[in-house]
Amino acid sequence: MTKVGSSILTALGAGSGIDTSALVASLVSATREPKQMAITDRQSLNTSRISALASAISSLNTFADALSSVLSGSDYTGTPNSADASIASVSLLSGGTPAGLPAQLTVEQLATARVLSSTTTAGATGSTAVGTGSLTITTASGTKTVTIDSTNNSYAGLAAAVNASGSGVTARVVTDAQGTRLVFKGETGADNDFSLSATADNGGSALAGLSWSTASAGTMTSTSDPRNAQITLDGVAYEYAGNSIDDAIPYLRIDLNKASPGTTVNLSMTQPTAGLSDLLKEFVDAYNTLMKALNTATATGSDSSSAGVLNGVSGVRDMKRQLATLTSTELGSTGAYRTLADIGVTTNRDGTLSLDTDRLASAMEADPEGITNMVNPKTSTTTSPGLSKLMDSVRDSIEKDDGPIKTAQKLYDAQAEEFTRQLEKLDDQMTNYEQHLTSVYAAMETRLSALKATQSYLEQQIKVWNNSDN
C-alpha cells in the first residue's frame, strides 16, 4: 500500500488517471479564497482608517502648532525698543508679551566682578613653568583646589585647570610688552567675591605669588571690585547681581550696557506690524484645508465603495464638532468683540469658514486695540485665552487619552492585530485541510490501484476460460 508523506506527487495520480494533486489544490483554493477575501477586505478598510486617523491628528497638530508659532512672532506680538541701546538694550523672552510698557529706566551702576592680576614676569610666555603645588579658590559657593603638576605646569596649564574647576572663577594668560601674567575674574555681583590661596613646592615660583584675599592682598593686584547693578524703573530702585535682567518686566530681557546716572531711557513696544486681516485670512484658509479633508474622509456616499474611509467614526465626528466651536467661543472677556463670529468669521453648512472682510474692517476701525488683544492677548488667561490658547485647548480635548479619537485608534490597532491572527489561523486551517484531502485521495488511489489489479486478473482468467472452451 502507498504511504502518505513520502511524496504527495508520488501518492497522487498513481493509477486512476485523475490529477488529484491539482484537484486538492483547487479544493483548498476554493475553500480559502472567500474566507481570506472577507478578512483582507476588512483588514484593508481597517488599515485605511488607521492611516486616515493618523493623518487627521497630524493635520490638526500642524494647524495648531503653526498658529502658535505665527502669533508668538514679533509681527503679532510687537517689537521691544530702547530709546538708547548704548545704555540698555531690550529683547523678547518666550511665553508671553511684555506688560507695563512704556517704562522709564535709569542705569545708576553696572554689575562688576572681582578681577585680580598677578605680577608680570618679563620674558615669560604661556608655556613658561609656574611651579608645582596647588591653588585653592574660595567663593560664596564653596572651595575648589586646583593641582599643578608636571602635566599642567605652565601659565596656560594653570589657567586651563582653573577654568575647568567649576569654581565660577575664570583665568586667562595675558602677554604684552611687559611680559606674562595671569588674570582671574569672578562672577558679577556683590555676593560673588573670591579669594586665592597658593601652596607652592618652590617658594620662588610664580605659583607662590598667587595668594589673595580682601584681608591680605599679597603680590596680586585687584583691578575691579564685585558690585551689583543698580537701576531705577519707573522711579523704583532695584539691584541685580548681573547686567542681564529677565524679571524686572515680564517677558522682557533688559541688557545693561553702560551706567549713566541721571539719564532716563524710555523702554517701549511697537504695535504689531502685520495686519490682523491677513492673519485671519490665513487662519480661515488653513482651517478650511483641514475641514475639507475631514469632510472627504467622513463622506456618506451612495454605498460602501463611495463612502469616506472614516464615515461613521464617532471620534472624527467629535473632532469636527469641537473645531466648530472655535468661532463661537469667547476669546476675550471684555469689550464689544469677544468671538471670531463677532468680527466676521462665520461657519458654512459644510463646516468650513468664511471671513467677512468688510465686517472685520468695521470692527477694526471701531476698536483695533480691543480686537488685537482678543485674538492675541499679552497674557492668556482662562477667561481671555486668545486664539492660539483656545486652539491648543481644543486640540488637547480632541486628543485626550480617554477621548473618542484615541479610543478609535486603540480599537483599530486591536482590530489590525486580530485580522493578522485570523489570517495566520486560516493558513493553519488550510494546511490541515490540504493534508486531509491529500490523505483521502491517496487512499482512494490505493484502492483504485487494487481494483485495477483485480480487474486485470479477472480479464486474464476470462481469456483463459474462453480459450479452454474452444
Side-chain angles (χ1 to χ4, degrees):
M1 174 180 283
T2 305
K3 293 183 178 180
V4 178
S6 59
S7 171
I8 293 177
L9 294 175
T10 301
L12 299 178
S16 64
I18 301 173
D19 188 351
T20 51
S21 178
L23 178 60
V24 167
S26 296
L27 290 172
V28 171
S29 178
T31 303
R32 174 197 290 270
E33 285 181 1
K35 295 180 179 179
Q36 182 169 297
M37 185 175 295
I39 298 172
T40 54
D41 285 348
R42 293 166 62 198
Q43 185 183 47
S44 177
L45 175 60
N46 190 70
T47 300
S48 297
R49 283 176 169 170
I50 291 174
S51 176
L53 273 179
S55 178
I57 292 175
S58 176
S59 297
L60 175 64
N61 288 335
T62 299
F63 177 48
D65 291 343
L67 181 62
S68 296
S69 177
V70 168
L71 287 174
S72 64
S74 60
D75 283 347
Y76 294 99
T77 59
T79 303
N81 289 298
S82 167
D84 191 340
S86 69
I87 296 175
S89 55
V90 289
S91 57
L92 286 175
L93 296 173
S94 62
T97 302
L101 294 177
Q104 307 302 311
L105 171 71
T106 302
V107 182
E108 307 290 349
Q109 174 179 289
L110 292 181
T112 56
R114 173 73 66 192
V115 179
L116 301 176
S117 177
S118 70
T119 301
T120 302
T121 301
T125 65
S127 60
T128 300
V130 294
T132 58
S134 62
L135 181 67
T136 300
I137 306 169
T138 302
T139 66
S141 301
T143 298
K144 299 283 185 179
T145 298
V146 175
T147 299
I148 307 301
D149 55 24
S150 59
T151 63
N152 57 0
N153 182 11
S154 66
Y155 281 87
L158 185 148
V162 169
N163 293 335
S165 68
S167 63
V169 174
T170 59
R172 69 182 188 275
V173 180
V174 177
T175 300
D176 58 16
Q178 302 176 70
T180 295
R181 60 189 177 276
L182 286 162
V183 177
F184 299 86
K185 185 176 183 178
E187 297 179 342
T188 59
D191 294 333
N192 291 322
D193 204 354
F194 70 93
S195 63
L196 300 178
S197 177
T199 301
D201 297 334
N202 183 346
S205 66
L207 176 61
L210 297 183
S211 294
W212 187 94
S213 70
T214 54
S216 176
T219 59
M220 300 281 283
T221 302
S222 176
T223 60
S224 175
D225 297 330
R227 298 185 298 179
N228 289 336
Q230 297 178 356
I231 66 170
T232 58
L233 192 64
D234 290 334
V236 181
Y238 300 89
E239 285 196 22
Y240 296 93
N243 292 313
S244 260
I245 303 170
D246 290 350
D247 51 5
I249 297 176
Y251 308 113
L252 185 73
R253 172 169 292 170
I254 304 173
D255 288 309
L256 308 181
N257 301 319
K258 181 176 67 176
S260 185
T263 302
T264 299
V265 179
N266 184 57
L267 307 181
S268 62
M269 283 284 291
T270 61
Q271 291 300 311
T273 56
L276 191 62
S277 178
D278 291 338
L279 167 68
L280 291 175
K281 286 178 182 178
E282 293 178 8
F283 169 78
V284 168
D285 289 343
Y287 179 97
N288 288 345
T289 298
L290 173 61
M291 187 57 66
K292 287 175 182 178
L294 293 177
N295 287 342
T296 300
T298 56
T300 54
S302 57
D303 52 41
S304 59
S305 62
S306 59
V309 69
L310 296 179
N311 177 39
V313 178
S314 61
V316 182
R317 289 199 303 268
D318 178 73
M319 178 187 289
K320 294 174 66 176
R321 178 187 63 77
Q322 293 201 53
L323 286 172
T325 65
L326 288 173
T327 57
S328 58
T329 301
E330 288 193 352
L331 301 176
S333 57
T334 60
Y337 305 101
R338 302 188 182 188
T339 69
L340 291 178
D342 291 340
I343 58 175
V345 181
T346 57
T347 303
N348 304 317
R349 293 185 61 182
D350 64 352
T352 58
L353 302 180
S354 295
L355 175 62
D356 185 336
T357 54
D358 291 337
R359 185 174 178 181
L360 174 62
S362 298
M364 286 292 293
E365 184 177 356
D367 189 7
E369 185 176 358
I371 293 174
T372 299
N373 289 334
M374 178 193 78
V375 174
N376 195 30
K378 291 180 173 62
T379 304
S380 294
T381 64
T382 303
T383 56
S384 299
L387 185 55
S388 175
K389 185 70 173 180
L390 175 62
M391 186 64 232
D392 283 341
S393 66
V394 169
R395 185 249 304 267
D396 292 343
S397 177
I398 290 172
E399 297 182 12
K400 60 184 178 182
D401 288 340
D402 58 348
I405 279 288
K406 293 296 184 180
T407 299
Q409 283 187 307
K410 292 174 184 176
L411 171 64
Y412 296 139
D413 288 341
Q415 288 181 349
E417 295 177 358
E418 175 59 24
F419 291 138
T420 298
R421 285 194 293 269
Q422 289 180 10
L423 288 173
E424 291 173 348
K425 182 179 179 181
L426 180 62
D427 284 339
D428 292 340
Q429 290 174 340
M430 291 301 98
T431 298
N432 293 336
Y433 183 49
E434 183 178 17
Q435 291 175 349
H436 172 70
L437 290 179
T438 299
S439 178
V440 168
Y441 283 111
M444 181 191 73
E445 281 293 327
T446 300
R447 289 192 291 272
L448 285 174
S449 295
L451 289 173
K452 282 192 174 184
T454 301
Q455 179 185 11
S456 177
Y457 171 76
L458 291 175
E459 287 175 350
Q460 291 177 0
Q461 288 298 111
I462 290 171
K463 285 182 182 180
V464 171
W465 294 337
N466 289 334
N467 289 336
S468 63
D469 291 339
N470 295 330

